[in-house]
Amino acid sequence: MFTVYGIPNCNTVKKARTWLDEKGIAYTFHDYKKKGITAEKISGWFQYYPWEKLVNKAGTTWKQLSDEEKAAVKDESSASDLMIAKNSVIKRPLIEDASGKAVALGFSEKEYEEAFL
């Protein structure tokens, strides 16, 4: 069983969930907007992905930050603080396996085939 972290109206999350559904891969969905995210969870993700990949600098949330807010994100601690405060800045989706290991970030059909099939 996998856990998909994201927000339901994100197009990339929709693509990933559709792909998983079509392949019959079981997962639960963790909606950041309803359930939030903890510093402990984010810290665990840093074992698998650097903060630079987890913060989605191409997204609307990042682009709406002030220059000062952007400049303040310079390490894991400051990135974690931002991800907790504005969880839509987290690159989506992030998928964990049953052990809590982050196995996918974003959506790529090729990477998903390697990770899940």
Side-chain angles (χ1 to χ4, degrees):
M1 177 67 88
F2 296 93
T3 302
V4 176
Y5 291 85
I7 55 178
N9 61 341
C10 171
N11 287 334
T12 307
V13 171
K14 288 177 186 177
K15 288 178 194 174
R17 292 179 75 184
T18 298
W19 189 92
L20 293 168
D21 291 341
E22 288 174 352
K23 304 297 183 197
I25 298 168
Y27 65 90
T28 58
F29 182 67
H30 180 101
D31 182 347
Y32 293 136
K33 295 298 179 192
K34 291 182 180 174
K35 299 179 182 175
I37 197 69
T38 65
E40 294 77 23
K41 180 59 70 180
I42 293 169
S43 178
W45 292 342
F46 289 145
Q47 295 177 45
Y48 306 102
Y49 295 104
W51 70 266
E52 296 91 344
K53 286 195 180 242
L54 287 168
V55 173
N56 182 9
K57 292 185 178 180
T60 304
T61 303
W62 176 264
K63 291 176 182 176
Q64 291 176 344
L65 296 175
S66 70
D67 290 341
E68 293 79 21
E69 288 173 308
K70 291 175 186 176
V73 181
K74 57 188 180 308
D75 55 21
E76 286 183 1
S77 177
S78 55
S80 178
D81 290 345
L82 175 65
M83 289 188 274
I84 291 166
K86 298 182 183 288
N87 51 36
S88 57
V89 79
I90 302 170
K91 185 166 177 70
R92 303 176 297 267
L94 186 138
I95 303 177
E96 286 182 342
D97 66 13
S99 73
K101 177 183 178 188
V103 295
L105 182 63
F107 177 73
S108 160
E109 193 164 340
K110 181 179 183 263
E111 289 177 18
Y112 276 38
E113 285 175 2
E114 292 171 5
F116 302 109
L117 300 179

